[in-house]
Amino acid sequence: METRTITDPAPQAGTAPILTHWIDNRTDPAPPVRTQDVFNPATGNVIARVARGGADDVSRAVAAARTAFPAWRDTPLIARSQVFFAYRELVWQNRAELARLITRDHGKTFPDASVEVLRGMETVEYACGLPSLLAGMNTPNVSTKVDAVTFRQPLGVVAGITPFNFPVMVPMWIYPIAMMCGNTFILKPSSHTPGATQLQAELWKQAGLPDGVFNIVYGGREAVDAILNDPGIDAIQFVGSTAVGRYVHETGTKNGKRVAAYTGAKNAMVVLPDADMDLAADATVAAGYGSAGERCMAQTLIITVGDTHDRLMPLVLDRIARLKVGPGMDPGVDMGPIYSADHRRSVIEWIDRGEQEGASLVVDGRPFHHPEYPDGFYLGVSLFDDVTPDMAIYQEEIFGPVLGVVRARTYDEALALVNGHKYANGTAIFTTDGGAARRFQLEVDVPMIGVNVPIPVPAGYLSFGGAKQSAFADLQMRGEDSIRFFTKQKEVTIRWPEPGSQGPLSLVFPANS
Ligand code: NAD
């Protein structure tokens, strides 16, 4: 795969390219009324402007998606599947460019972005099998000479609202399943990372997806409100912060839509005294600081049990001392910048807060500035020791390269800490004791669990989703759960009476006998 070692230069003033909505398989011909700047966080330069859509744009996308719906719903499954195979091939061919655009807009390293593309593509590959995934059920003899047929049909026009931190993978966890079921789709992505989003739309067109089946409306709250209020949208999957997810879930369901929102997290990793300490130290640093901590499955609390703390900490500090922070396209860089200047400020405020709360700041990332890119949104990694459950830095999601170490005396104390947290997205246990790991799987109140695996993101063909404040949803996303979410089920009861078999008229409720 070709990599580039330079970051995009700033365009001349007033010449930044404008990205706008994608409706009916083309970019909007008219320039957008309102736009916002897109930054390269590695340099701090404005590299593009993106449309800020509103109700008019959403209703044009809904109209296109509504028009496309009947034909897409009725498209033979094998023909639908062939479009997915073609799209998968195009994603594979364009994986380096997709990754480059992720790194450019988000800041994560190019190798990390490359894996993001592959982890998203897994769900596209799952959707290629749609003819068998959408098979219904036939139940003969539910009564005398009566059979039942169960099948699922698409809902209509559905939407995905997605965050900045996985501009390819998270949309790819939503739209393949929505569209394979026969729905038409509107994506409202984050405005911070539009480059790779736009390329996905172009690849769908090249793959032969009919006009109006996949649409993008860019924007912020106004576009989201329009999606929540538009009666032409039947269902929404949201991925983002807890505050916005709760609002989307409450408003969307009040408006009669099916809504699932997958939201914020504060994931804890428990390290037992018998763990392989080198493995646990690698996991601590990789899962805490990878992608600058901007992953909903980042492990941001490390719970050390018994005497683990004193053996683990020197190994973690040794690894931290060797981390290289810099532009995500530069070879050898472990961690890129924070995605925005505002978010960088917010992470710094969290570090200030942790100090005020009395946690020990063992590593302070605040003073870090990149010598070549002084305007880039860089921050070094930070490590707090002696974090306790009463602190806000324990309770709240920081979404940056800030780790907190918490001490527990026993396994039970560690388990109670994990189970007492308001977030429940992912967790992990590090141990060489199979019995302890088994107990943890059964006793922990978190749906995604790693055993000696720090970021337990299930494979793209399995389900994904949290609980408590990490999800406002009845089902998980992806896999069978998403097929259920994006379809409605029908039950047909069928009798083909033989001539003369009709009994006397009866008003009794029919018995299945
Ligand atoms: P965000 O909530 O700010 O934005 C998510 C989406 O909502 C974006 O499309 C954004 O434009 C829109 N939005 C933002 N503010 C809004 C508002 N006031 N009203 C309506 N819409 C609004 O989230 P983010 O900062 O882009 O992403 C980071 C968050 O996403 C973190 O909390 C992270 O944990 C979470 N996340 C969760 C998962 C998961 O699967 N649970 C996965 C990835 C990220």
Side-chain angles (χ1 to χ4, degrees), residues 27 38 45 61 74-75 80-81 87 106 109 142 185 241 243 279 287 322 369 377 410 447 469 476 498 507:
T27 46
V38 180
N45 292 336
D74 297 340
T75 300
R80 242 190 255 164
S81 163
Y87 180 68
H106 175 286
T109 65
V142 293
F185 192 80
S241 62
L279 183 70
R322 285 185 272 127
H369 288 281
F377 309 145
T410 60
Q469 301 289 301
Q476 291 193 312
E498 284 163 18
L507 300 195

Side-chain angles (χ1 to χ4, degrees), residues 142-143 146-150 490-495 512:
V142 293
S143 188
V146 176
D147 304 326
V149 169
T150 308
K490 282 187 174 165
E491 296 284 359
V492 189
T493 307
I494 306 166
R495 179 170 57 183
N512 282 330

Side-chain angles (χ1 to χ4, degrees), residues 59-106:
S59 67
R60 283 184 306 115
V62 171
R66 265 291 140 216
T67 306
F69 174 62
W72 182 242
R73 176 196 57 201
D74 297 340
T75 300
L77 297 184
I78 205 70
R80 242 190 255 164
S81 163
Q82 281 156 1
V83 177
F84 277 79
F85 272 106
Y87 180 68
R88 186 268 174 211
E89 223 30 55
L90 287 163
V91 170
W92 176 250
Q93 285 162 20
N94 288 275
R95 63 196 186 283
E97 182 58 6
L98 284 163
R100 188 189 71 80
L101 291 168
I102 295 171
T103 298
R104 185 196 69 178
D105 296 356
H106 175 286

Side-chain angles (χ1 to χ4, degrees), residues 16 25 28 121 123 125 145 162 187 194 198 232-233 235 272 278 281 349 388 397 404 446 450 500 509:
N25 256 348
D28 255 1
M121 200 176 71
T123 308
E125 288 166 343
K145 303 226 167 169
T162 54
L187 178 63
Q198 194 77 7
I233 295 179
L272 296 187
D278 278 309
E349 281 166 19
T388 51
E397 179 179 53
V446 177
F509 192 56

Side-chain angles (χ1 to χ4, degrees), residues 162-165 188 224 238-241 262-264 296 397 399 464:
T162 54
F164 79 87
N165 68 323
K188 207 308 285 167
V224 169
F238 169 92
V239 179
S241 62
Y262 305 96
T263 53
C296 70
E397 179 179 53
F399 221 58
F464 177 103

Side-chain angles (χ1 to χ4, degrees), residues 369-392:
H369 288 281
H370 197 285
E372 283 172 62
Y373 303 102
D375 297 328
F377 309 145
Y378 297 96
L379 197 59
V381 308
S382 295
L383 180 74
F384 278 111
D385 200 355
D386 304 311
V387 174
T388 51
D390 55 315
M391 296 177 182

